[in-house]
Amino acid sequence: MKDPVSLRIDYILKSCSGKSVLHVGCTNSPYTQRSIEDGSLLHFRLAKVASKLYGIDIDEEGINIMREEGIKDLAVANVEDMINTNPFNSIDFDIIIAGEIIEHLPNPGQFLESMKPILSKPGSRLLITTVNAFYALRIFNGLFGGKEGVHPDHVSYYSKSTLNKLLEIQGFEVQDFSYYSISDEYKKYLKQGKRWILFFVDRFATMVLPPLFSDGVMVTCSPKTKK
């Protein structure tokens, strides 16, 4: 049976609808202002569907930009050390969104440990999305461009197997898994000028190749209950 391929934003918004949400990595450093201006900042979209929404990020500049836009319930914090410094310690959350941040973290196991105390509410979940190590476009760049297509702040990439293994080691149980296809915003970028060939590669990966070569991976998980 093939693993499903979903739209990342739709998947996240559906998971957060009517729920109390903690959005870790809520800015888009260093592109927060641009993301606000073009309407793509995920935190703004979450605000439309969540019953309550709180945001945390280590990027103080990005947090200040969001506050200037009228966004409340924000805090500057290191998500790898929230076990000691949780600014929203008294709040119970239904779901924690960690969208496109784990690939930036030098200590992902420490991050996952820091999430466990926050997931104390029965039925609470952690939703992680991250870029796929086997994304076809990244492989294409390497084969024909002779270079890595890597974000300057990324320190690691995950596949389905490696992400699930990390979660298992850290004592998490996966409830749902999905690959995600490239975002609409990035599609517009790929359609410009000579980049059309990259758009073709992405379409080929999504529509013809196995889901293994999709843009990213998503898991919904929770700490394993002690027996």
Side-chain angles (χ1 to χ4, degrees):
M1 181 178 177
K2 275 188 175 183
D3 288 308
V5 179
S6 308
L7 294 175
R8 189 178 78 93
I9 299 300
D10 290 352
Y11 184 94
I12 292 172
L13 295 182
K14 183 178 179 180
S15 299
C16 294
S17 180
K19 296 179 180 177
S20 174
V21 178
L22 174 62
H23 184 195
V24 299
C26 62
T27 74
N28 187 23
S29 178
Y31 310 115
T32 303
Q33 187 64 54
R34 187 176 75 184
S35 297
I36 291 173
E37 291 171 356
D38 66 19
S40 64
L41 192 67
L42 176 59
H43 200 78
F44 280 33
R45 301 188 188 191
L46 288 171
K48 295 179 180 179
V49 300
S51 61
K52 295 180 181 178
L53 178 62
Y54 299 80
I56 287 175
D57 203 290
I58 200 169
D59 176 28
E60 185 172 1
E61 180 181 358
I63 289 291
N64 287 335
I65 290 172
M66 292 172 67
R67 283 173 174 159
E68 289 171 2
E69 293 291 328
I71 301 299
K72 299 179 180 179
D73 298 319
L74 300 174
V76 178
N78 182 351
V79 297
E80 291 181 335
D81 192 38
M82 297 237 340
I83 199 166
N84 297 313
T85 57
N86 178 5
F88 302 125
N89 193 47
S90 61
I91 301 171
D92 291 326
F93 296 101
D94 297 312
I95 188 166
I96 300 173
I97 301 300
E100 313 300 281
I101 69 162
I102 198 168
E103 66 273 15
H104 294 260
L105 303 179
N107 299 296
Q110 188 172 313
F111 159 69
L112 291 170
E113 282 299 312
S114 287
M115 294 298 102
K116 286 180 181 178
I118 309 174
L119 294 165
S120 59
K121 184 177 180 179
S124 59
R125 297 286 185 265
L126 170 64
L127 196 165
I128 297 173
T129 78
T130 184
V131 288
N132 180 15
F134 297 115
Y135 180 33
L137 192 54
R138 188 169 296 109
I139 296 171
F140 180 88
N141 275 332
L143 287 173
F144 298 101
K147 60 182 180 180
E148 297 182 33
V150 176
H151 187 289
D153 292 332
H154 288 180
V155 297
S156 59
Y157 283 132
Y158 295 90
S159 66
K160 176 184 179 181
S161 296
T162 59
L163 182 56
N164 283 347
K165 186 63 177 179
L166 175 63
L167 291 167
E168 177 189 340
I169 290 171
Q170 295 300 139
F172 280 76
E173 182 176 17
V174 173
Q175 282 85 35
D176 188 58
F177 174 86
S178 181
Y179 287 96
Y180 65 77
S181 55
I182 200 166
S183 66
D184 289 338
E185 291 83 6
Y186 197 50
K187 283 179 188 177
K188 295 175 184 177
Y189 169 80
L190 291 182
K191 288 180 178 179
Q192 297 173 11
K194 295 180 180 180
R195 290 191 290 266
W196 67 268
I197 191 169
L198 300 180
F199 177 75
F200 173 78
V201 171
D202 174 74
R203 292 294 85 199
F204 183 79
T206 301
M207 302 175 71
V208 180
L209 296 179
L212 168 68
F213 297 100
S214 296
D215 187 22
V217 295
M218 302 186 284
V219 293
T220 301
C221 58
S222 61
K224 291 179 182 177
T225 54
K226 295 180 180 180
K227 296 181 180 180

